[in-house]
Amino acid sequence: MSTLRTFHRSVFGLALLAAGVAQAAGTADVLIQPVASRFPTIAVDVNVRDAKTGAPIPGLTREQFSVTEDLREAAILGVESLTPEAADARGVDFVFVFDDTGSMAEEIDGLIQRTLEFANIVQTSGFDYRFALISFGDELRHKVDFTASAGDFKTAVAALRADGGGDEPENALEALRYGVTALSHDPARRKVFVLITDASFHSADAVTPLTTQAVLADLKTLGAVLNVVGPNLDQYRWMADALAGSFYDKDSGQFKRIVEQIAGGSASNYRLTFTTSRPDYDNTWRALEVAVKDASEGSGVSQYQAPSWVSASSRIDGFSGINSQFAPHNAIDGNPATAWAEGVSGAGVGEWVALNFAAPQTVDRFALTLPAGSTVRRVGVLINDEDKRFYDLKPGQSAQSFALEAPLPVSRFKVVLEAAESGDNGLAEIELFNGSALVEPIAKAHDIRRTAKLAQEQNKQGETLYHAKKYDDAVFYYKEALKNDPTYAQAFSNLGLAYQRQNQFADAVWANRQAIALARGTTRDTVLASSHYNIARIFEAQNKFEQALQNFLWAQNYKANPVYDKAIARMNEKLGR
């Protein structure tokens, strides 16, 4: 063997060894994008690349992945390799639909800074890309057709100027429609839309005749996936769910990381599925970590939000969330004087409210009560998202009862407003029966008005025991309080602290998540900030610095506190940023 050949073989062997050592030391870059549209089954698009070369790492098996959800390991149902074999299947078209009104300067800068990195992630993952850009306020502003040049796209983004606005809503639907109908789409390429905004949108009003349902139908016909980075409104969450995309809370403070995750998820080489260990429809955010082990090592983290057990397409005063006087939960509180009301312009035809059950409920009839002044005359009912049944309603507040053909196991009960004349419309009560009895989840919701005072007394007993350091007894009383009022945010917050004292960290995270989802009233921001802070400290103690940072940022978003500022700086230092 020649000396030269020996030298080359030795160098090649050293290169393989170095690559193996580097991967074993944790040199796989992992980006993840969770998709919760089939909750409680969660899909996670995973991009695993060599940290040095950026090349995708193929051939990983189910045994080499692990998934952790809020500190609990989840059982993986399956792992699918997504890397396309044929070159013509590797094209991905990205359409960025960007609100460039005055409050969006930070996001514009973030997209400029991440454009080349976004393109690099997609390209090194084995896909070729094209970018298009549409910006909007009340009208469409910039319209840039597809380009295969990341540099040209970056220049187009840099031309955006955050100005105007301040007169919500904006015109996102027209921008999405333009993206569907006016760009030079190639039928052979995948389509990924990314809507970025901090405002609600016009719908069926003087600015646009378009409705959410019509635009979603257009996107679905195109075969597009829709990711939304926006305020935590009903409309945006279900739009992303309807088109197998992901919703990201714009106020998370991590816009640049979100852009990376969308790039990685859109050019993923694996898809994992797992069933959450918390199948309750509780509207909580959950932290996910996907780790790769053995020959390649690394991990990626993200968040997803579970749906609420009472969800809707919209509500009046949507930015108030659970504090809205017309929140969806009003439709199951047993009080016909309160109501869910849709939050779009016009009569609200096509808007909906749905009940989601973690365990199927046997139902043989249902009753609907209209609020005073409602002009709804017809509804459609979908049971378990199957064929729609239509029912006519009469004006008035009395419950109107309808029998099913036979008792059915119901996991999801959705009511769609099909015909109405004008005004803000909705439903005062939805009641599902098995024989003469209400199904259990609705019966419990009705009982809260009767048992809430007892829950407050039990919570006070728990607080007394907690301060006496009798944590087991405190947990008992907090749980009793929550049996009597499952919506009692302060009891959940207290329970989280008690679990933390018992070193039951996963349970403590869960309880604080519940407090966040249920917080309302004048103390809402205080509960949100303190609960996010408690979660962050738990993650920090477990050396989960990315998850800790996210929750410190959320705490800071709800309440100014120098403690939060120092914690954010500490996490950024730990993460080398």
Side-chain angles (χ1 to χ4, degrees):
M1 182 182 294
S2 71
T3 304
L4 183 60
R5 180 174 293 182
T6 303
F7 174 77
H8 278 304
R9 179 170 289 184
S10 299
V11 170
F12 182 65
L14 286 171
L16 285 177
L17 180 61
V21 170
Q23 289 176 356
T27 56
D29 278 343
V30 181
L31 293 169
I32 67 172
Q33 185 178 29
V35 179
S37 55
R38 296 183 63 191
F39 185 89
T41 299
I42 309 300
V44 189
D45 290 325
V46 185
N47 184 296
V48 186
R49 298 177 302 137
D50 185 278
K52 286 187 175 180
T53 66
I57 298 176
L60 298 178
T61 65
R62 177 172 169 173
E63 290 70 30
Q64 291 172 280
F65 287 97
S66 64
V67 177
T68 306
E69 181 186 36
D70 274 349
L71 301 179
R72 292 189 190 279
E73 188 163 351
I76 296 174
L77 299 176
V79 175
E80 178 185 2
S81 177
L82 298 179
T83 304
E85 297 297 330
D88 60 0
R90 294 176 184 163
V92 187
D93 285 347
F94 294 93
V95 182
F96 284 85
V97 182
F98 210 111
D99 173 353
D100 62 350
T101 54
S103 54
M104 295 292 290
E106 183 179 343
E107 285 71 27
I108 292 172
D109 289 342
L111 187 56
I112 292 169
Q113 293 173 29
R114 284 293 186 267
T115 294
L116 297 182
E117 184 176 355
F118 190 106
N120 183 59
I121 290 170
V122 175
Q123 188 173 49
T124 57
S125 298
F127 297 83
D128 74 90
Y129 57 79
R130 297 194 305 172
F131 294 126
L133 175 68
I134 305 155
S135 74
F136 65 93
D138 275 339
E139 68 290 322
L140 304 193
R141 297 179 173 184
H142 291 72
K143 306 168 188 174
V144 180
D145 205 348
F146 289 114
T147 175
S149 167
D152 288 350
F153 179 72
K154 182 177 180 180
T155 299
V157 176
L160 300 181
R161 293 292 178 268
D163 57 27
D167 59 344
E168 275 195 43
E170 307 298 352
N171 204 355
L173 293 185
E174 289 283 359
L176 288 167
R177 167 65 67 83
Y178 183 91
V180 172
T181 60
L183 299 179
S184 55
H185 289 289
D186 180 342
R189 299 172 69 88
R190 286 198 293 124
K191 288 87 178 169
V192 178
F193 279 62
V194 184
L195 172 62
I196 303 171
T197 182
D198 66 350
S200 56
F201 53 81
H202 289 284
S203 171
D205 60 10
V207 174
T208 178
L210 295 176
T211 64
T212 310
Q213 290 83 359
V215 172
L216 286 181
D218 290 341
L219 287 162
K220 192 169 289 187
T221 299
L222 186 65
V225 170
L226 175 64
N227 299 296
V228 179
V229 185
N232 202 347
L233 297 176
D234 302 297
Q235 298 95 310
Y236 290 129
R237 291 197 302 271
W238 79 265
M239 286 169 70
D241 278 350
L243 291 169
S246 297
F247 169 78
Y248 297 91
D249 186 349
K250 178 196 165 290
D251 294 326
S252 66
Q254 298 245 61
F255 181 74
K256 295 174 185 177
R257 288 283 296 165
I258 289 170
V259 171
E260 288 179 5
Q261 289 173 11
I262 293 173
S266 301
S268 57
N269 45 357
Y270 298 95
R271 170 166 279 206
L272 312 185
T273 53
F274 71 95
T275 299
T276 175
S277 61
R278 288 168 44 204
D280 294 329
Y281 290 79
D282 58 11
N283 203 39
T284 60
W285 286 92
R286 289 102 181 272
L288 278 187
E289 179 177 9
V290 174
V292 178
K293 52 193 176 184
D294 298 334
S296 303
E297 292 190 0
S299 64
V301 301
S302 188
Q303 309 263 339
Y304 80 91
Q305 188 176 21
S308 173
W309 85 273
V310 188
S311 57
S313 55
S314 64
R315 71 186 78 182
I316 292 177
D317 191 20
F319 278 98
S320 294
I322 199 170
N323 272 342
S324 168
Q325 294 183 40
F326 301 96
H329 285 77
N330 289 343
I332 48 86
D333 65 359
N335 180 6
T338 65
W340 161 71
E342 45 77 21
V344 301
S345 300
V349 172
E351 297 300 298
W352 53 264
V353 61
L355 310 183
N356 305 290
F357 303 111
Q361 306 293 311
T362 301
V363 177
D364 59 13
R365 68 182 178 93
F366 66 93
L368 304 177
T369 302
L370 293 175
S374 173
T375 66
V376 175
R377 297 296 176 263
R378 198 176 205 215
V379 297
V381 171
L382 291 92
I383 295 176
N384 303 332
D385 289 327
E386 295 177 356
D387 294 341
K388 188 184 290 187
R389 303 162 166 87
F390 295 95
Y391 301 90
D392 293 323
L393 298 174
K394 298 176 182 178
Q397 295 189 55
S398 60
Q400 300 177 55
S401 184
F402 304 93
L404 300 179
E405 313 86 69
L408 292 174
V410 175
S411 296
R412 179 171 167 85
F413 189 89
K414 180 177 179 181
V415 183
V416 184
L417 307 185
E418 297 288 346
E421 294 174 7
S422 62
D424 297 319
N425 286 301
L427 293 169
E429 290 297 318
I430 302 173
E431 297 170 297
L432 309 185
F433 295 90
N434 181 17
S436 60
L438 280 168
V439 298
E440 184 182 10
I442 297 178
K444 288 177 68 174
H446 285 197
D447 277 348
I448 289 173
R449 289 189 297 162
R450 179 176 58 83
T451 57
K453 186 174 181 180
L454 175 58
Q456 292 171 8
E457 293 171 358
Q458 291 167 326
N459 180 64
K460 286 181 181 178
Q461 288 177 288
E463 289 175 339
T464 300
L465 291 162
Y466 176 86
H467 291 301
K469 299 184 179 180
K470 297 180 179 180
Y471 302 123
D472 291 348
D473 293 334
V475 165
F476 172 81
Y477 276 99
Y478 292 144
K479 285 183 174 180
E480 289 300 301
L482 290 165
K483 287 179 184 177
N484 286 304
D485 185 356
T487 69
Y488 196 176
Q490 187 58 58
F492 271 117
S493 182
N494 290 341
L495 179 61
L497 289 172
Y499 276 142
Q500 201 167 340
R501 291 290 187 180
Q502 295 177 317
N503 294 326
Q504 297 184 44
F505 298 120
D507 289 334
V509 170
W510 165 80
N512 278 287
R513 298 278 196 208
Q514 295 284 345
I516 291 164
L518 295 167
R520 67 182 77 189
T522 57
T523 63
R524 180 172 184 264
D525 285 355
T526 299
V527 172
L528 291 174
S530 62
S531 296
H532 277 301
Y533 179 75
N534 292 339
I535 292 171
R537 290 302 304 271
I538 293 169
F539 278 124
E540 182 180 7
Q542 304 298 311
N543 295 325
K544 306 292 185 182
F545 301 126
E546 191 71 61
Q547 296 97 317
L549 173 62
Q550 178 61 82
N551 283 279
F552 283 133
L553 286 166
W554 265 324
Q556 182 193 56
N557 185 56
Y558 289 109
K559 201 162 190 178
N561 189 324
V563 172
Y564 304 158
D565 299 336
K566 291 177 182 177
I568 290 166
R570 187 169 68 248
M571 292 304 96
N572 280 322
E573 183 179 356
K574 293 280 189 183
L575 292 164
R577 297 176 186 167

